[in-house]
Amino acid sequence: MDRLGFIDFNTRLSPENSGKADSYARAIKILDEVLPYQDEIDLQGQSLYALHDVAVLEAILLFVNNEVRKMKNNEPNIFDYGKPNQRSYPLKSFCSAALKSLMKYAQFELEVKEADKIVAQETNPRTISTKLIAHFDLTKEGEDIESERKRRKGQEYFRRMILANYGGRCALTGIDIPQLLLASHIIPWSDKSHKRERLNPCNGICLSALYDKAFDKGLITFSPDDLSVQLSSVLRENESKEYFDRHFGCINGKKITLPTEYQPNLDFLAYHRDKVFVGF
């Protein structure tokens, strides 16, 4: 575990626009600064991010909650060693919430390792998808919090898998900034008639944000014949506008850079062209 991974975890796997990510990372930083002054739990000089044992993190959570109680009672506590402006974080329960989130992050990292083993052991993309769906328990549809949490985990792992498959680069532009890259589903996740393909590595293409959105909305597609970009009539109606050539005219007819392992399934591309693409 690390700070950037923790921020990314909370950004992607928490409800949208929750604003938790940076606040939780700040709370962990505060705890890293004050916990060396206690001797109840031996951290061996490590940051909380270096701890992978959920039981140890639970013990730290109990300890921190007790120290917060002392603070509220104006008793000596571990946060006396911190900076004065840090006291608001434990008092507002950010430190406790951040620790709970760190435990979830640790558990997710364990799930990712097990998922990596599935991918490494299987060669059939459809079998990989079937086993990953079972691993992340995505067999049931639902709009409740637990179903949403499982769905986000599955989607985040799919993103990791697709970015790795494409060498961390957009298949159209070569952009290699992770924050700008997405795993674009060829057959959309929302298509319930193809649920078994949701985590199929051949059902994803690594694209930067603009082209991911255009692909998702059917404004562009990739020909199953030669993997070249085709622009929709909706986009071509904007040919006279200044941005068109810079962002869309330049990719018209361009072939995507293929990954070395799981190449886009041609039947899936034909489905996208016929069912998602908004026309020539």
Side-chain angles (χ1 to χ4, degrees):
M1 300 192 295
D2 57 47
R3 177 179 177 275
L4 292 179
F6 183 56
I7 291 174
D8 191 56
F9 172 81
N10 279 297
T11 299
R12 296 183 181 281
L13 301 185
S14 297
E16 292 184 13
N17 303 316
S18 68
K20 293 178 179 178
D22 290 333
S23 295
Y24 283 1
R26 175 61 176 163
I28 295 298
K29 182 176 185 295
I30 290 171
L31 290 172
D32 272 342
E33 291 172 352
V34 302
L35 285 173
Y37 293 97
Q38 57 82 36
D39 55 12
E40 185 170 321
I41 301 171
D42 185 8
L43 301 176
Q44 299 181 339
Q46 298 182 103
S47 165
L48 289 172
Y49 293 121
L51 305 178
H52 301 279
D53 190 329
V54 174
V56 174
L57 291 171
E58 287 178 341
I60 294 171
L61 175 61
L62 290 173
F63 172 79
V64 168
N65 285 341
N66 190 48
E67 294 300 301
V68 171
R69 180 191 60 76
K70 292 178 182 178
M71 181 192 296
K72 291 179 178 179
N73 292 334
N74 294 316
E75 300 172 14
N77 62 86
I78 195 69
F79 296 101
D80 290 339
Y81 295 97
K83 300 173 184 177
N85 62 355
Q86 292 179 346
R87 296 173 66 83
S88 64
Y89 272 74
L91 285 173
K92 293 180 180 179
S93 299
F94 277 115
C95 290
S96 297
L99 280 169
K100 292 177 182 177
S101 181
L102 194 64
M103 284 188 274
K104 292 178 181 178
Y105 177 38
Q107 182 60 44
F108 179 59
E109 288 296 296
L110 290 175
E111 292 176 11
V112 166
K113 289 181 180 179
E114 291 302 312
D116 286 344
K117 291 178 183 178
I118 292 172
V119 175
Q121 291 169 355
E122 296 294 338
T123 57
N124 185 304
R126 179 161 286 175
T127 302
I128 288 173
S129 182
T130 299
K131 290 192 173 183
L132 288 177
I133 287 171
H135 175 67
F136 288 106
D137 193 16
L138 303 176
T139 54
K140 295 181 180 179
E141 299 287 341
E143 300 303 323
D144 56 288
I145 294 175
E146 182 62 17
S147 295
E148 175 65 15
R149 183 185 66 82
K150 293 176 181 178
R151 184 160 55 247
R152 286 180 181 273
K153 282 187 175 183
Q155 290 170 339
E156 174 60 15
Y157 186 78
F158 182 77
R159 176 181 178 274
R160 291 186 182 206
M161 182 169 56
I162 297 304
L163 264 63
N165 191 38
Y166 282 81
R169 294 179 180 274
C170 170
L172 268 180
T173 65
I175 288 174
D176 59 358
I177 303 171
Q179 295 90 330
L180 297 178
L181 298 177
L182 296 157
S184 302
H185 275 85
I186 302 172
I187 297 179
W189 181 283
S190 59
D191 187 334
K192 295 182 180 180
S193 64
H194 290 81
K195 290 190 295 184
R196 64 185 298 185
E197 310 296 355
R198 284 175 169 172
L199 299 184
N200 185 329
C202 293
N203 190 34
I205 301 174
C206 180
L207 295 173
S208 53
L210 174 62
Y211 300 116
D212 166 76
K213 180 64 72 173
F215 187 64
D216 180 62
K217 298 299 181 183
L219 299 178
I220 65 172
T221 195
F222 303 105
S223 169
D225 300 319
D226 61 3
L227 301 174
S228 63
V229 177
Q230 296 176 345
L231 304 183
S232 71
S233 55
V234 175
L235 281 181
R236 287 187 279 104
E237 288 174 357
N238 296 277
E239 287 179 337
S240 62
K241 296 180 180 178
E242 183 270 336
Y243 63 78
F244 182 84
D245 284 338
R246 184 168 67 250
H247 297 297
F248 299 109
C250 64
I251 65 167
N252 190 24
K254 182 177 180 179
K255 295 183 180 181
I256 62 173
T257 300
L258 290 175
T260 57
E261 192 164 3
Y262 302 107
Q263 299 191 5
N265 183 294
L266 299 183
D267 290 336
F268 296 169
L269 289 175
Y271 179 94
H272 186 276
R273 179 195 58 193
D274 297 339
K275 302 293 186 180
V276 181
F277 190 51
V278 295
F280 294 96

